[in-house]
Amino acid sequence: MVLETERLYLREMNQADFNSLCGILQDEETMYAYEGAFSDSEVQEWLDRQIFRYQKWDFGLWAVILKETDEMIGQCGLTMQPWKDTEVLEIGYLFNRSYWHKGYATEAARACKKYAFEVLGANEVCFIIRDTNIASQNVAIRNGMTVADRWTKHYRGVEMPHDRYVIRR
């Protein structure tokens, strides 16, 4: 276990989490900010990328486990993400749609923010959020973040304006 909150614990993902991850990354509605659901091979690449991040940085997106049921309900963690001409420390998350609107994203992100400041010694952490993703914008605001700047990313042949919500230590 990496982190624990009142209702959740976060741990490194492993190959045994593949099916739970498919339940998230292969849901069209969940993946609307990514322009569609992932194939099995894209899910495996995603999982492999997290495992590589754990080895490289000792952090990545972690499995979010609901304490009450011991079920993986999402993923949340810290990643280094390209932003304009640099890399920034970002809190990222995706949850199984059946667990939306229950406060889990805010709770997990708050724990990751604390980890970034207290364990990693970061001076700033951010959310990079597509301009149409109102729910994630609200999670950033509930975590005390404000919009710092905007950049258009190109993904799957689509131009996607993103805002970077930031909080400093």
Side-chain angles (χ1 to χ4, degrees):
M1 181 174 57
V2 178
L3 294 172
E4 183 175 7
T5 70
E6 181 183 337
R7 301 179 294 169
L8 311 168
Y9 67 88
L10 284 68
R11 62 160 172 77
E12 290 185 358
M13 285 188 274
N14 58 60
Q15 193 60 46
D17 297 315
F18 180 81
N19 289 335
S20 295
L21 201 53
C22 284
I24 299 164
L25 301 178
Q26 292 184 333
D27 179 78
E28 287 289 337
E29 190 173 341
T30 299
M31 297 301 289
Y32 78 93
Y34 288 82
E35 288 298 313
F38 283 11
S39 66
D40 283 354
S41 63
E42 289 170 318
V43 173
Q44 186 61 56
E45 287 173 22
W46 182 277
L47 179 57
D48 292 343
R49 188 165 43 254
Q50 302 323 309
I51 293 168
F52 173 77
R53 285 173 170 158
Y54 306 149
Q55 295 164 355
K56 182 175 182 179
W57 291 306
D58 217 19
F59 59 83
L61 295 178
W62 297 303
V64 176
I65 310 299
L66 184 61
K67 287 180 178 179
E68 184 180 312
T69 62
D70 208 35
E71 176 185 4
M72 181 180 168
I73 63 169
Q75 56 183 333
C76 184
L78 297 158
T79 60
M80 296 303 298
Q81 292 293 324
W83 184 260
K84 299 184 179 178
D85 295 327
T86 190
E87 276 192 330
V88 295
L89 182 63
E90 182 198 23
I91 298 170
Y93 65 85
L94 283 166
F95 280 81
N96 184 300
R97 191 163 29 104
S98 60
Y99 294 94
W100 287 7
H101 308 295
K102 299 180 188 310
Y104 296 126
T106 299
E107 184 176 332
R110 189 168 289 130
C112 290
K113 177 179 71 173
K114 183 177 179 183
Y115 185 93
F117 291 144
E118 294 180 5
V119 176
L120 301 180
N123 291 320
E124 127 178 339
V125 67
C126 70
F127 280 29
I128 298 172
I129 304 171
R130 192 168 176 183
D131 67 338
T132 56
N133 191 340
I134 304 302
S136 285
Q137 292 168 13
N138 289 332
V139 170
I141 291 165
R142 283 192 292 275
N143 269 279
M145 298 181 168
T146 56
V147 176
D149 55 350
R150 178 174 274 204
W151 184 41
T152 300
K153 292 184 166 195
H154 304 277
Y155 184 72
R156 292 188 170 183
V158 177
E159 288 191 358
M160 301 178 184
H162 282 70
D163 293 318
R164 186 170 65 102
Y165 286 73
V166 174
I167 190 165
R168 291 175 178 83
R169 190 194 330 210

